[in-house]
Amino acid sequence: MEYAEYKIMFEAEDSHWWYRGLRGVMGTLLNLERAVQRQPRILDAGCGTGANLAVLEQRGFRNAEGFDLSPIALEFCRQRGVTKVREGSITNIPFAESSFDIVISCDVVTDAGTENEMTAFEELYRVLKPGGRLFLNLPAHEFLRSEHDRAVAVARRVTRGEVVRKLSSVGYRVRRATYWNTFLFPVVVAVRILRREDETDLQSTARSDIVVPAAPVNALLSGVVWLEQVLLRFANLPFGSSVAVVAVKPRTVEREAGGMREGV
């Protein structure tokens, strides 16, 4: 991803309705309000410009750290005042086995820089403690591919079922798997269709959709996504432009006659 896109992200992440919505969905599905009392060790795998880590610190989490493959992203982290970060790849995570209670990874596994997403899932599993939880957010539906994806280096879009199957094959127990950005989904579809590229566009410099709207519009859109967070306390959402998953690394592996059974 280009320096210009990291700069756009850095400047937008604190206030843009989508980023605020992502952090809200993450907080709801992980029940972070209760988790802070235990002071879990948290890893942001592919931390980008550091907004998630900064917000976690603001909310009282003292043991959160991250890594990213891009030195540009890490420099923006430091500009933000986030210093517990290091350079590393999600397919070769620079931390020891069973190090973290919670691992979050937002829109990284499907990036162009992730050569093998199954290796990434296995690495995320490796660094989780037994009983630890993974929060994963990924872009949904290949038909939404547009110029935005090329600008932010999205190589693949996924479905909820696809992510669940892959995580289960690694050994995770999937606790929640939902789409989100549901109410605004028709708008997202329309915008992405309008920005869909043909082969002649691929030689040009792509630009993402990340623009902070005027304050009243941004507040309205933030409110719409907040309503989804309320609904997510009770049920999964059936469609949307992103997939969010919470999966658990089992605590034990119990042997049974004729095979093995994972315990939680």
Side-chain angles (χ1 to χ4, degrees), residues 216-237:
V217 176
N218 198 50
L220 174 63
L221 297 176
S222 297
V224 170
V225 180
W226 174 83
L227 180 58
E228 291 188 15
Q229 295 163 33
V230 174
L231 295 176
L232 283 172
R233 296 175 186 172
F234 308 101
N236 294 331
L237 300 177

Side-chain angles (χ1 to χ4, degrees), residues 15-17 20 211-223:
S15 58
H16 192 285
W17 64 270
R20 293 171 65 181
V211 178
V212 180
V217 176
N218 198 50
L220 174 63
L221 297 176
S222 297

Side-chain angles (χ1 to χ4, degrees), residues 2 5 33 59 126 128 133 147 161 176 190 232 261:
E2 294 182 355
E5 287 297 335
E33 288 185 4
R59 293 180 180 177
R126 180 184 65 81
L128 271 173
R133 293 177 293 163
E147 180 185 356
R176 294 289 302 271
L232 283 172
R261 178 169 66 88

Side-chain angles (χ1 to χ4, degrees), residues 30-92:
L30 287 174
N31 199 4
L32 289 181
E33 288 185 4
R34 292 182 59 185
V36 69
Q37 300 168 11
R38 302 190 302 273
Q39 285 301 312
R41 191 178 181 198
I42 302 176
L43 176 67
D44 189 347
C47 60
T49 65
N52 289 338
L53 290 170
V55 171
L56 286 169
E57 183 177 351
Q58 292 165 11
R59 293 180 180 177
F61 291 92
R62 298 189 296 272
N63 301 314
E65 51 197 303
F67 70 88
D68 201 277
L69 186 62
S70 169
I72 299 172
L74 297 177
E75 179 55 36
F76 278 117
C77 285
R78 296 181 184 103
Q79 288 186 39
R80 199 187 291 277
V82 173
T83 57
K84 291 199 290 186
V85 291
R86 64 178 72 175
E87 189 171 338
S89 168
I90 200 168
T91 57
N92 187 20

Side-chain angles (χ1 to χ4, degrees), residues 197-219:
E197 299 179 303
D198 58 35
E199 290 186 4
T200 59
D201 296 327
L202 298 180
Q203 303 303 316
S204 62
T205 300
R207 290 289 176 259
S208 70
D209 296 339
I210 304 171
V211 178
V212 180
V217 176
N218 198 50

Side-chain angles (χ1 to χ4, degrees), residues 102-167:
I102 296 173
V103 174
I104 63 176
S105 184
C106 299
D107 300 285
V108 177
V109 172
T110 53
D111 275 1
T114 303
E115 297 176 357
N116 188 320
E117 63 183 41
M118 293 305 295
T119 300
F121 290 143
E122 290 165 358
E123 277 290 278
L124 294 168
Y125 187 93
R126 180 184 65 81
V127 299
L128 271 173
K129 295 178 181 179
R133 293 177 293 163
L134 169 69
F135 173 83
L136 192 69
N137 191 80
L138 295 171
H141 302 305
E142 201 52 44
F143 70 84
L144 291 180
R145 177 167 297 283
S146 72
E147 180 185 356
H148 171 86
D149 296 273
R150 185 160 63 94
V152 298
V154 172
R156 299 169 297 282
R157 286 180 163 268
V158 299
T159 64
R160 176 173 59 188
E162 177 187 353
V163 178
V164 170
R165 286 191 298 273
K166 290 180 177 179
L167 289 174

